[in-house]
Amino acid sequence: MLVDSHCHLTFPNLKEDLSGALQRAREQGVGLFLLANTTLEEIPVLAALSAAHAPIYRTAGVHPVFLSEASDLSHLSENLSQAATGEKVVGIGEIGLDYHEQGTSGTPLPNKLRQQEAFRIQLEVARTQSLPVCVHTRDAQEDTLALLSSFPGLRGVIHCFSGSKAFARAILDLGFYLSFSGVLTFPKATTLQEIARFVPADRMLIETDAPFLAPIPHRGKSNEPAWVVYVARQLASLREESLEDIARQTTENFFTLFSHVPRETENAV
C-alpha cells in the first residue's frame, strides 16, 4: 500500500471530482490519505470529508500564507487546541514559515515576527496534545530550525522537503522525517535527489501536496493522490530499491509518526 501523507482534497480541481480521484488512487495502490489543514475556517470542511471516508485522516493548523485569516493570534492556541481533539485529527499542520516574497494570491505575506509567533503557538499546542507536526518552510530554513530546536522531543515532518543538504541533516538530527513530493521527479532537483539517497529508511515519507506540484510526466497539470506512485518510483530508483520496498517502508513510517491512525485502516478506500 502507498500513503499520500499530505494532500488538499478540498481545493479546486480535486473537490469537483473527489470520488474519481479516490478511485484512481485506489487503482494505483494508494490506501490512505492525510488532509493538510490550512485555515481555522477549513477545519469543519476537512472534518466532514474525513468522517465520510474511512481512509482519510486530517491535521489541524494554520498555514503561514493564510495567517491573515487567523484574525487574533491571542485565540489561536485555544481554537487550535479545541480542533486538535476532533475526530480523525492525527497531527498539527500545516504550520511553519514562508518568507517567499509573494503569497499564492500575489499579496505580501504576513511579516516574519507574526509568522514566528503563530508557529511557536502551534508548536506548543502540538507538544501539549502529544501530536506530531506537519511543517511548511520556504526560504526560512534557519528560523524553522531554530524554532523546532526550541521544542525538544517534538515529533514531525518537513513536508514537501526541498531544502539544502545541511538543513536536511539538521532536521534529521532533531528526529524529524522528510517527505518527498513530485519535485523529486524534476530533472533539475539534483540536490533533493542526493538527499533522497542518504535519508535513513525509517525517516522518509511520500506525498503529492495535491493539487500542487504534479510529478513528471504530469508536470504542469493539477496533481492528484494517485500520482504519489511516481514519487515512490523515483525514490525507489534513486535508492536502488524496489517499489514494493519503498511502499512498505514509507507506509510503516507513516504509521509510526502518525500513531493515532489505526493500522486497520489500511486498504480501506
Side-chain angles (χ1 to χ4, degrees):
M1 182 185 80
L2 294 166
V3 176
D4 187 351
S5 68
H6 189 109
C7 56
H8 302 275
L9 298 182
T10 61
F11 279 29
N13 298 328
L14 279 174
K15 66 179 181 180
E16 294 86 358
D17 185 28
L18 179 61
S19 60
L22 293 177
Q23 175 61 28
R24 290 188 293 274
R26 182 174 64 181
E27 291 169 356
Q28 293 297 327
V30 185
L32 202 57
F33 312 82
L34 183 61
L35 301 185
N37 196 78
T38 58
T39 69
L40 293 176
E41 292 76 12
E42 188 183 24
I43 288 171
V45 179
L46 298 194
L49 185 57
S50 63
H53 299 274
I56 295 179
Y57 284 77
R58 61 191 177 105
T59 62
V62 177
H63 190 294
V65 169
F66 299 110
L67 270 178
S68 59
E69 297 187 33
S71 57
D72 187 350
L73 290 185
S74 66
H75 296 296
L76 178 57
S77 177
E78 178 184 356
N79 291 337
L80 188 57
S81 295
Q82 181 178 0
T85 63
E87 186 178 1
K88 300 182 83 171
V89 173
V90 298
I92 298 299
E94 173 180 356
I95 64 176
L97 303 173
D98 193 319
Y99 295 169
H100 196 61
E101 289 184 1
Q102 298 291 319
T104 54
S105 63
T107 57
L109 294 174
N111 68 64
K112 294 181 179 181
L113 292 179
R114 180 172 171 81
Q115 288 192 43
Q116 290 165 20
E117 181 184 359
F119 192 19
R120 188 178 295 106
I121 289 170
Q122 295 182 96
L123 290 172
E124 182 58 45
V125 171
R127 179 164 63 182
T128 301
Q129 298 290 337
S130 298
L131 289 171
V133 292
C134 176
V135 176
H136 169 101
T137 180
R138 188 178 188 190
D139 298 343
Q141 292 183 169
E142 184 176 342
D143 287 346
T144 298
L145 185 59
L147 278 165
L148 292 178
S149 297
S150 68
F151 288 82
L154 191 67
R155 301 174 300 124
V157 56
I158 304 297
H159 107 88
C160 190
F161 188 87
S162 58
S164 67
K165 287 183 283 186
F167 183 53
R169 295 187 189 280
I171 287 297
L172 291 169
D173 286 344
L174 288 179
F176 270 59
Y177 292 65
L178 306 183
S179 183
F180 298 102
S181 69
V183 176
L184 190 66
T185 69
F186 297 174
K188 294 183 179 180
T190 54
T191 297
L192 184 61
Q193 290 163 3
E194 184 177 346
I195 291 169
R197 293 186 181 98
F198 73 65
V199 63
D202 63 352
R203 230 67 94 54
M204 57 186 185
L205 296 175
I206 54 175
E207 64 170 272
T208 58
D209 198 20
F212 311 108
L213 301 175
I216 301 294
H218 300 291
R219 188 173 184 181
K221 299 179 181 178
S222 179
N223 202 359
E224 60 179 84
W227 296 346
V228 75
V229 67
Y230 293 104
V231 183
R233 287 173 181 165
Q234 175 72 335
L235 190 57
S237 175
L238 291 168
R239 296 174 66 89
E240 299 182 345
E241 300 177 27
S242 69
L243 176 60
E244 292 74 17
D245 285 344
I246 290 297
R248 182 169 52 253
Q249 183 67 66
T250 53
T251 297
E252 175 63 28
N253 294 347
F254 178 84
F255 281 117
T256 299
L257 178 60
F258 295 101
S259 57
H260 288 270
V261 180
R263 288 179 179 266
E264 57 264 28
T265 56
E266 292 188 52
N267 301 312
V269 177

